[in-house]
């Protein structure tokens, strides 16, 4: 018997349902709430049970054919990981470098990761975009975009 | 009703709202053309923009984007055999062969006329069906709402395709689980926050929609290595004539009429949506065709193109019926719109018709205007709009990524949300690799809060007894339909297996 996508999915959701059910039991209740017909634990407990039953049903009825196996060949996971890391770094850079500089760095990084190597393209496709966007948001739409903490600390502005 | 229609018409024809329809149709057409990005992603990308608008304008913009994206999907199906979304897969069956025969212009025009007629017939039926259903649903109680939501959730799972029912149900439960994160509205206690202050308000709908649709779809394109592909340049001269002859119009007119009505009915069913409508309409038309005409299907048959195009647009309109009248979305896209309406503080459902007639009617009227815009403005501009696809993918992808993440950030100004988006995207990619559908999760998440509230209210009134599900004939009927819808795929699979076994036994006995 081969381990298929259905088996993996069923097992993952079974673990999730068990963990969810455990934490559902930890939800603090107000005094007397335990005697109420419906309290903060009711729906989560029911969902944990339904999730568990459905996961088992998926495991029992799982596709056992070779075609049902999880195929990871042909996917560029490394590039996706780098792109998601870039998104995460953008989030970290925002409070420190400010909106405009973070945007430029994010876009340049994204273009570079996807294969753009021309310095001119990297700059033309990022700097005017970030500046125009900053102008639109802060000057036209009056949205406050805080300057980066780095600049306020270093330059005192 | 006529007062309402007049209010809606006044709101919809306001210059700003007309502009929103035009912008929505253009943006939707462009996004819908990009393979991999469909109406759900297109509407999700618009949410942050609509937050700055008033509810009527916001929903009008989203409806325009929805139509535009379906139309854009048809365009890429016809021109390059790359459907932008699932509901236009069938369009490619006969649309692309027509383009190969140098009849791309005719195919595009026919798709636009069919979509326009489908949308128009749909909008007219909606005009009368929605208020009628809304007035009936005014008598609904908590138990009825709970049963209706149960029906909506089970229907989405039931229509998710062969072998996908349990997976769709699991995703619905997963969505309901995510909806329980944060502060419980009745008791005020926090649930599943693990001490994090950022989770006290729960997971934001916008964040979940953007991460699971916009961000995940773009990242999946990169993962499949499609970011280096370039759309073929479309030559205006090669499109050919956009005119249809009188004979051709006569041939497709009955097809468009019946597919529109059929598509609308399928669209009204919660969970069915435009994809199922287009496949069913194509199948229906093929069955109705004579043996000689049947052979033309798949090789550039006009009826084969007109049927799915009218059906998917009529179904898109039909899916607004359960959203506007019952507060239950009929498709993934309308689920996103439901979330946006709730974010505006508007509760879709029977009260919407009474409390916010401007929103209710202007959405319906603007749908019709949207169809007109697509026909009058978008069709002649298709060769120019499609040139936007010439922007290299390595430039386009980081920009879409940027819009997805800043769309969420500019609403909350909390970088935790971006990190949360990354986490949800990783989970969504993993689930997509395991072939779990995303739309049921979003639907479960959106309906989770309202469902819990109504269930709690109904159980409190009956002192913990589930008798509210069968005490009133209306609730009992809805519950029975929900049970039937849930059991139907399982029963049909069992009957199918029994028939195969019966046939095998008969063959064996015959051989013996």
């Amino acid at each position: 018997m081969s381990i298929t996508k259905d088996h993996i999915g069923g097992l993952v959701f079974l673990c999730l349902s068990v963990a969810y059910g455990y934490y559902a039991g930890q939800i603090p209740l107000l005094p007397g709430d335990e005697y109420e017909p419906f309290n903060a634990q009711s729906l989560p407990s029911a969902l944990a049970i339904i999730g568990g039953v459905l996961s088992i049903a998926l495991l029992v009825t799982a596709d056992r054919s070779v075609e049902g196996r999880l195929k990871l060949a042909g996917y560029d996971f490394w590039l996706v990981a780098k792109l998601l890391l870039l998104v995460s770094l953008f989030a970290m850079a925002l409070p420190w470098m400010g909106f405009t500089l973070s945007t430029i760095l994010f876009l340049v990084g994204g273009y570079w990761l996807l294969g753009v190597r021309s310095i001119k393209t990297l700059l033309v496709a990022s700097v005017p975009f970030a500046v125009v966007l900053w102008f639109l948001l802060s000057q036209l739409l009056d949205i406050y975009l805080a300057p980066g903490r780095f600049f306020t600390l270093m330059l005192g502005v | 009703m006529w007062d309402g229609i007049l209010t809606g018409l006044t709101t919809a024809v306001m210059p700003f709202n007309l502009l929103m329809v035009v912008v929505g149709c253009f943006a939707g057409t462009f996004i819908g053309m990009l393979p991999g990005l469909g109406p759900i992603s297109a509407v999700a990308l618009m949410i942050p923009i609509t937050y700055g608008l008033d509810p009527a304008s916001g929903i009008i913009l989203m409806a325009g984007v929805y139509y535009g994206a379906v139309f854009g999907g048809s365009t890429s199906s016809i021109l390059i055999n790359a459907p932008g979304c699932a509901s236009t897969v069938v369009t490619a069956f006969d649309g692309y062969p027509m383009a190969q025969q140098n009849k791309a212009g005719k195919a595009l025009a026919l798709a636009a006329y069919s979509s326009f007629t489908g949308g128009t017939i749909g909008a007219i039926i909606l005009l009368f069906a929605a208020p009628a259903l809304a007035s009936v649903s005014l008598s609904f109680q908590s138990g009825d709402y709970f049963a209706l939501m149960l029906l909506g959730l089970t229907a989405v799972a039931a229509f998710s395709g062969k072998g996908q029912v349990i997976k769709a149900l699991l995703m619905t439960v997963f969505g309901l689980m995510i909806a329980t994160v944060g502060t419980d509205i009745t008791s005020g206690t926090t649930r599943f926050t693990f001490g994090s202050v950022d989770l006290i308000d729960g997971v934001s709908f916008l964040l979940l929609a953007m991460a699971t649709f916009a961000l995940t779809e773009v990242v999946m394109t990169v993962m499949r290595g499609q970011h280096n592909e370039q759309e073929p340049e479309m030559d205006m001269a090669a499109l050919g004539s956009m005119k249809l002859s009188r004979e051709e119009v006569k041939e497709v007119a009955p097809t468009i009429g019946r597919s529109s009505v059929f598509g609308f009915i399928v669209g009204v069913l919660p969970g069915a949506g435009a994809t199922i409508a287009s496949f069913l309409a194509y199948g229906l038309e093929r069955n109705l065709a004579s043996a000689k005409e049947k052979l033309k299907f798949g090789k550039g048959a006009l009826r084969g193109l007109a049927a799915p195009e009218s059906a998917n647009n009529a179904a898109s309109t039909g899916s607004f019926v359960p959203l506007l009248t019952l507060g239950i979305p009929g498709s993934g896209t309308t689920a996103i719109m439901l979330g946006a309406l709730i974010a505006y503080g508007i509760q879709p459902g029977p009260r919407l018709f009474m409390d916010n007639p401007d929103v209710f009617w202007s959405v319906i009227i603007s749908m019709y205007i949207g169809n007109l815009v697509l026909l009058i403005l978008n069709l002649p501009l298709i060769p120019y709009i499609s040139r936007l696809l010439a922007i290299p993918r390595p430039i386009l992808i980081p920009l879409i990524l940027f819009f997805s993440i800043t769309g969420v950030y500019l609403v909350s100004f909390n970088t935790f949300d971006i990190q949360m988006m990354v986490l949800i995207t990783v989970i969504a990619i993993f689930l997509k690799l395991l072939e779990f559908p995303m739309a049921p999760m979003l639907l479960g998440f959106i309906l989770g809060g309202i469902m819990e509230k109504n269930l709690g209210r109904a159980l409190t009134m009956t002192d913990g007894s589930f008798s509210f599900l069968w005490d009133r004939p209306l609730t009992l009927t809805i519950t029975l339909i929900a049970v039937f819808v849930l059991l139907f795929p399982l029963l049909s699979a069992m009957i199918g297996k029994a028939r195969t076994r019966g046939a095998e036994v008969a063959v064996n006995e015959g051989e013996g």
Side-chain angles (χ1 to χ4, degrees):
Chain A
M1 190 189 85
S2 51
I3 305 260
T4 62
K5 284 180 260 194
D6 289 0
H7 288 117
I8 302 170
L11 214 58
V12 167
F13 271 101
L14 187 63
C15 294
L16 174 78
S17 301
V18 171
Y20 182 83
Y22 169 76
Y23 285 108
Q26 310 291 311
I27 296 169
L29 294 177
L30 298 175
D33 253 9
E34 60 270 31
Y35 305 111
E36 289 294 321
F38 193 84
N39 58 40
Q41 284 185 0
S42 306
L43 187 70
S45 307
L47 289 175
I49 296 167
I50 299 169
V53 171
L54 286 170
S55 311
I56 293 168
L58 182 61
L59 284 169
V60 172
T61 61
D63 174 16
R64 287 172 169 75
S65 65
V66 181
E67 293 83 49
R69 277 184 172 178
L70 178 63
K71 292 178 190 83
L72 299 177
Y75 290 123
D76 197 342
F77 288 105
W78 185 230
L79 183 56
V80 167
K82 284 192 269 189
L83 268 180
L84 290 177
L85 181 69
L86 183 71
V87 174
S88 188
L89 288 173
F90 173 65
M92 286 185 229
L94 265 171
W96 288 97
M97 295 192 174
F99 186 79
T100 315
L101 191 58
S102 306
T103 302
I104 293 171
L105 291 175
F106 173 80
L107 289 175
V108 168
Y111 301 148
W112 178 272
L113 285 175
L114 294 177
V116 180
R117 291 291 178 268
S118 151
I119 304 286
K120 190 181 156 197
T121 312
L122 288 173
L123 294 176
V124 168
S126 58
V127 179
F129 175 83
V131 173
V132 170
L133 194 67
W134 170 83
F135 179 78
L136 276 174
L137 292 171
S138 64
Q139 306 300 308
L140 291 183
L141 297 174
D142 214 17
I143 296 171
Y144 176 71
L145 297 171
R149 244 178 270 166
F150 176 78
F151 298 106
T152 38
L153 284 175
M154 297 297 287
L155 308 169
V157 286
Chain B
M1 186 174 110
W2 296 109
D3 286 345
I5 294 175
L6 205 65
T7 314
L9 195 65
T10 321
T11 314
V13 297
M14 277 162 64
F16 184 71
N17 288 341
L18 280 177
L19 180 73
M20 287 297 105
V21 178
V22 175
V23 169
C25 284
F26 274 115
T29 306
F30 173 60
I31 301 171
M33 270 186 187
L34 299 169
L37 290 181
I40 303 185
S41 320
V43 174
L45 278 166
M46 286 299 132
I47 303 169
I49 298 168
T50 61
Y51 276 3
L53 308 173
D54 68 272
S57 308
I59 297 297
I60 286 170
L61 175 70
M62 282 198 221
V65 170
Y66 187 10
Y67 280 107
V70 175
F71 183 70
S74 309
T75 308
S76 53
S77 285
I78 292 168
L79 294 177
I80 53 171
N81 200 21
C85 56
S87 62
T88 57
V89 168
V90 192
T91 305
F93 290 179
D94 284 286
Y96 185 61
M98 278 181 80
Q100 284 179 313
Q101 295 157 17
N102 288 331
K103 291 181 192 163
K106 192 170 272 188
L108 282 171
L110 180 59
Y113 299 143
S114 309
S115 300
F116 173 73
T117 318
T120 306
I121 294 176
I124 292 168
I125 309 176
L126 181 69
L127 206 66
F128 295 100
L133 194 59
S135 47
V136 171
S137 54
L138 274 173
S139 61
F140 281 15
Q141 295 178 0
S142 310
D144 305 324
Y145 275 113
F146 174 72
L148 262 176
M149 278 156 204
L150 214 58
L151 172 64
L153 295 178
T154 50
V156 168
F159 284 112
S160 53
K162 207 180 164 190
Q164 287 278 306
V165 181
I166 299 176
K167 284 183 172 178
L169 284 173
L170 267 171
M171 288 305 278
T172 311
V173 172
F174 186 39
L176 289 166
M177 285 176 175
I178 302 173
T180 59
V181 174
T183 310
D184 174 34
I185 41 164
T186 19
S187 65
T189 51
T190 52
R191 304 186 289 194
F192 309 105
T193 56
F194 304 104
S196 166
V197 182
D198 295 301
L199 285 174
I200 284 178
D201 283 338
V203 178
S204 124
F205 146 75
L206 175 64
L207 189 157
L208 194 68
M210 293 289 254
T212 49
F213 286 100
L215 205 59
T216 304
E217 292 301 337
V218 178
V219 168
M220 287 293 281
T221 314
V222 175
M223 205 163 89
R224 292 190 201 106
Q226 290 167 338
H227 59 283
N228 288 325
E229 289 172 12
Q230 191 55 49
E231 307 299 346
E233 191 90 23
M234 276 159 260
D235 183 9
M236 257 183 87
L239 286 179
S241 164
M242 282 193 169
K243 280 182 186 157
L244 288 173
S245 70
R246 191 169 284 185
E247 288 74 32
E248 285 168 335
V249 173
K250 267 188 186 170
E251 187 191 339
V252 296
T255 304
I256 293 175
R258 60 178 163 255
S259 301
S260 303
V261 177
F262 180 72
F264 183 86
I265 297 167
V266 176
V268 171
L269 301 173
T275 309
I276 292 175
S278 61
F279 273 95
L280 289 179
Y282 186 82
L284 177 78
E285 210 49 46
R286 204 170 171 275
N287 286 338
L288 288 175
S290 64
K292 194 181 158 195
E293 283 175 335
K294 245 180 212 170
L295 294 172
K296 288 187 196 164
F297 277 74
K299 291 171 189 159
L302 294 177
R303 285 171 68 179
L305 174 63
E309 273 304 299
S310 347
N312 69 23
N313 247 40
S316 304
T317 314
S319 65
F320 278 85
V321 174
L323 173 75
L324 294 175
T325 58
L326 304 171
I328 293 174
S331 63
T333 318
T334 44
I336 292 186
M337 289 193 188
L338 172 67
L341 279 171
I342 294 172
Y344 276 127
I346 292 172
Q347 183 58 59
R351 300 289 317 169
L352 178 71
F353 174 54
M354 320 261 297
D355 299 340
N356 301 89
D358 55 327
V359 177
F360 186 89
W361 289 107
S362 58
V363 170
I364 296 176
I365 304 282
S366 65
M367 276 179 195
Y368 190 71
I369 300 173
N371 276 304
L372 267 176
V373 169
L374 284 178
L375 189 70
I376 299 168
L377 287 179
N378 270 25
L379 183 62
L381 293 177
I382 275 294
Y384 304 100
I385 299 175
S386 58
R387 288 213 177 132
L388 284 169
L389 292 174
I391 300 172
R393 293 269 184 98
I395 301 288
L396 208 56
I397 287 171
L399 286 174
I400 300 175
L401 275 180
F402 175 77
F403 281 121
S404 310
I405 49 180
T406 46
V408 174
Y409 173 74
L410 289 175
V411 172
S412 64
F413 289 95
N414 187 354
T415 53
F416 172 83
D417 283 358
I418 303 178
Q419 306 291 11
M420 188 81 172
M421 277 180 92
V422 173
L423 178 71
I424 292 174
T425 306
V426 172
I427 297 170
I429 291 171
F430 176 66
L431 290 173
K432 275 187 95 95
L433 287 174
L434 295 176
E435 289 173 6
F436 279 86
M438 289 293 134
M441 183 199 66
L442 202 62
L443 201 63
F445 174 77
I446 293 168
L447 292 181
I450 318 164
M451 201 172 157
E452 187 176 15
K453 199 168 76 182
N454 283 296
L455 176 65
R457 213 179 276 164
L459 278 174
T460 311
M461 283 198 292
T462 54
D463 203 19
S465 162
F466 277 93
S467 61
F468 68 87
L469 286 172
W470 53 83
D471 275 351
R472 297 176 76 224
L474 182 67
T475 331
L476 178 66
T477 313
I478 304 169
T479 312
L480 285 177
I481 297 172
V483 172
F484 175 74
V485 164
L486 185 63
L487 294 180
F488 179 73
L490 300 172
L491 286 175
S492 62
M494 277 165 68
I495 293 167
K497 270 187 187 174
R499 271 191 190 158
T500 321
R501 262 186 225 145
E504 278 171 7
V505 170
V507 168
N508 290 342
E509 278 174 359
E511 282 171 356

